[in-house]
Amino acid sequence: MREIQQLSLPLYFVSKQRFEDVDFNGTMYIERDDTGYVGLVIGYQNPNSMYLVTWLPDYKTWLHGDCASCYSYHAHGGTAGVQIKKVHISTSDEDTIKSDLWLSSDSESTTLLWHDPNHIPWRTKTAYRWFVSHRPSTGYIRVRIYGAEDGLILDSGKVYDLQYLGGKLGFFNFQQPTTIW
């Protein structure tokens, strides 16, 4: 069990070992409601290339830039629910990377492969059991999440992408403190 006391940066925690075809599962518990992203990393190649399974509890806008003068003010929206994203970062601009990871649509650094059409949010003080299947040989990705009291609450069905053929596994956290894995 690991607990994350999170800052405002997107954090990846990945294994040392690379995996090919894999079933990845575990439990997460979110202690406090700060409406940030929690998620999983699959197919991790390097900090710029991976798949992310992200989960946001509500619509939330990511703000960056010099808001005092509002000359470089930008806002990017994230919507509630689970998403599967392909990450392909090609910039070193930290604000662009954060905004692109937050956004719930395609961006310069991410491609949205799937989004929960029901926009099911995570809830605090609830244990969630997740199961991810990744078959890089065929591009198959599937995410299922179970709630302790609700049973199956989400199934992405079959999602396909052949960009990353295997890689490391791990956890993702962005502005959501006190997540226990």
Side-chain angles (χ1 to χ4, degrees):
M1 180 182 342
R2 297 281 189 250
E3 183 174 339
I4 298 172
Q5 297 291 333
Q6 169 40 7
L7 301 172
S8 65
L9 297 174
L11 299 174
Y12 313 109
F13 301 90
V14 295
S15 63
K16 293 180 182 178
Q17 181 179 348
R18 279 183 59 87
F19 294 88
E20 298 301 322
D21 290 358
V22 68
D23 291 318
F24 181 37
N25 64 74
T27 302
M28 67 180 160
Y29 182 84
I30 301 158
E31 183 72 29
R32 200 172 85 199
D33 186 8
D34 282 297
T35 66
Y37 275 110
V38 295
L40 304 166
V41 177
I42 57 176
Y44 179 92
Q45 309 295 304
N46 59 54
N48 299 325
S49 305
M50 73 199 82
Y51 296 110
L52 287 178
V53 177
T54 62
W55 198 2
L56 195 62
D58 199 359
Y59 178 83
K60 185 174 179 187
T61 301
W62 173 260
L63 303 173
H64 72 85
D66 181 4
C67 195
S69 67
C70 293
Y71 292 121
S72 60
Y73 178 84
H74 301 283
H76 295 275
T79 58
V82 173
Q83 303 165 28
I84 302 173
K85 299 176 183 180
K86 176 172 42 178
V87 176
H88 44 83
I89 298 169
S90 60
T91 181
S92 60
D93 180 64
E94 190 176 290
D95 282 338
T96 298
I97 294 168
K98 287 189 232 178
S99 295
D100 287 355
L101 289 174
W102 195 270
L103 194 62
S104 292
S105 60
D106 290 351
S107 67
E108 178 183 335
S109 303
T110 63
T111 302
L112 184 63
L113 300 176
W114 181 84
H115 192 286
D116 168 20
N118 298 316
H119 302 275
I120 297 169
W122 57 253
R123 296 185 313 258
T124 57
K125 310 248 188 254
T126 303
Y128 292 101
R129 186 99 174 125
W130 42 267
F131 295 85
V132 176
S133 297
H134 185 213
R135 305 290 182 265
S137 58
T138 62
Y140 173 83
I141 301 169
R142 184 177 182 187
V143 176
R144 289 171 291 148
I145 299 177
Y146 295 81
E149 299 169 7
D150 306 320
L152 179 67
I153 59 172
L154 179 129
D155 186 343
S156 69
K158 298 174 182 178
V159 176
Y160 289 94
D161 189 84
L162 287 165
Q163 181 73 40
Y164 305 128
L165 303 178
K168 297 177 181 182
L169 302 172
F171 308 108
F172 173 71
N173 194 295
F174 191 178
Q175 282 202 325
Q176 182 54 47
T178 62
T179 303
I180 300 169
W181 299 93

